[in-house]
Amino acid sequence: MADRVIELAHLQKQFGDHLVLRDINLSVSKGEVLSIIGASGSGKSTMLRCINLLETPTSGNIFFNGKNITDRDFNLSQYRAKVGMVFQSFNLFNNMSALKNCIVGQVSVLKRSHAEAEETAMKYLRKVGMEPFINAKPAQLSGGQKQRVAIARALATDPKILLCDEATSALDPQTTQSILSLIRDIHDRLGITVIVITHQMSVVEQICTKVAILDNGTVAEEGAVSDVFSAPKSKAAKALVYPDGYDQDAVVADNETVVRIVSVSYTHLTL
């Protein structure tokens, strides 16, 4: 219990008559890299937006380090300052340089001095390899460079959790590998907890330690990536791991260990 950074308890989200999230119960421990995957419309992005309270849950509770963030008297500004967000579309200010994009939130939300905010921004722009481009505006940067700036901006608030919503889906394969390596390196060096929304199974395999599979607004299966991918139990998980319908039980003799190897081209998988 003590190491749970985020816990969702009986979370539900409804838009009109459409129930998007149905009684979600899920926890994320400190230092984990959790991937939330599922078919289009399964509720992945809605769940992430609820975690950051960009969407207000219809019912249920969300706990951050044991405190209920859905309580009316909870300080949302302080909470959001501890949660970094990286979007698919980068969400950078087009009229600001890379450096200023990483400064503005610190000054306006965290009330840091401009000098402190600039020092922190430079620290993380160096970490993501963008120091040579601090004066460039988004229009002058490639997709991968924009995402690096977006990651630096998210880290500049010193978050405890990094939320990534399809952070690599708009990038080419080579740039995707670069960003994945960066996220993995940030996790390893800073010990930050990461929650990733993706439809790219290769992302899950490369950087995630735990996976939760959503199906029709519910958690169909969750567990260590190696366990779920080697022996999926739910119908939804099997559909992702065996997209061609391969699902054969291995015959195992006594005292033998079977390692199931799944070879699938995930890069172009559309969910």
Side-chain angles (χ1 to χ4, degrees):
M1 288 290 291
D3 65 344
R4 290 182 179 178
V5 179
I6 288 288
E7 184 174 4
L8 311 181
H10 305 291
L11 185 70
Q12 296 204 149
K13 178 61 182 178
Q14 189 167 347
F15 295 100
D17 295 330
H18 182 43
L19 190 59
V20 179
L21 299 177
R22 308 165 183 264
D23 197 34
I24 297 289
N25 293 282
L26 184 67
S27 64
V28 187
S29 297
K30 183 178 180 181
E32 279 188 330
V33 183
L34 168 70
S35 175
I36 302 172
I37 61 176
S40 178
S42 60
K44 305 184 298 296
S45 291
T46 299
M47 181 190 293
L48 200 71
R49 290 175 66 84
C50 283
I51 291 174
N52 202 22
L53 290 184
L54 293 175
E55 294 287 353
T56 303
T58 303
S59 62
N61 297 296
I62 301 172
F63 297 93
F64 172 68
N65 287 335
K67 297 180 180 179
N68 191 347
I69 69 172
T70 56
D71 284 347
R72 290 184 178 181
D73 58 349
F74 191 82
N75 191 320
L76 292 184
S77 295
Q78 288 185 4
Y79 169 67
R80 288 188 174 127
K82 297 176 182 177
V83 180
M85 188 91 176
V86 180
F87 300 88
Q88 175 183 355
S89 55
F90 318 125
N91 283 25
L92 299 175
F93 294 108
N94 290 324
N95 62 331
M96 295 184 183
S97 67
L99 178 58
K100 287 185 178 179
N101 263 283
C102 295
I103 289 175
V104 62
Q106 299 182 66
V107 173
S108 61
V109 177
L110 300 182
K111 307 303 180 185
R112 289 176 179 167
S113 69
H114 190 277
E116 182 185 4
E118 182 173 343
E119 182 180 357
T120 302
M122 285 301 304
K123 171 184 174 182
Y124 287 107
L125 284 166
R126 289 190 195 99
K127 284 184 183 294
V128 301
M130 288 300 292
E131 185 177 11
F133 306 96
I134 61 171
N135 294 316
K137 292 184 178 180
Q140 299 170 301
L141 301 174
S142 68
Q145 289 172 329
K146 291 176 186 176
Q147 199 59 287
R148 285 175 178 269
V149 173
I151 292 171
R153 179 183 61 183
L155 294 174
T157 61
D158 299 320
K160 302 302 180 185
I161 309 170
L162 184 64
L163 307 180
C164 301
D165 191 2
E166 298 281 7
T168 61
S169 63
L171 306 176
D172 62 75
Q174 184 175 357
T175 306
T176 292
Q177 291 302 314
S178 175
I179 295 298
L180 291 180
S181 295
L182 175 61
I183 293 173
R184 183 169 54 240
D185 182 58
I186 287 168
H187 167 264
D188 292 345
R189 283 194 289 166
L190 303 181
I192 194 170
T193 302
V194 183
I195 302 178
V196 177
I197 298 292
T198 185
H199 69 273
Q200 297 168 295
M201 299 290 277
S202 57
V203 172
V204 183
E205 291 182 307
Q206 289 183 51
I207 69 169
C208 298
T209 57
K210 181 179 177 181
V211 62
I213 298 175
L214 292 196
D215 182 39
N216 195 29
T218 64
V219 178
E221 189 167 343
E222 65 172 297
V225 171
S226 56
D227 293 339
V228 173
F229 277 22
S230 63
K233 298 178 178 62
S234 67
K235 183 178 179 180
K238 290 177 181 178
L240 294 175
V241 176
Y242 306 121
D244 296 324
Y246 176 76
D247 182 19
Q248 297 179 1
D249 293 328
V251 177
V252 186
D254 292 341
N255 300 320
E256 287 187 347
T257 300
V258 170
V259 178
R260 178 179 289 166
I261 299 175
V262 181
S263 179
V264 181
S265 177
Y266 293 118
T267 303
H268 303 294
L269 181 63
T270 301
L271 303 180

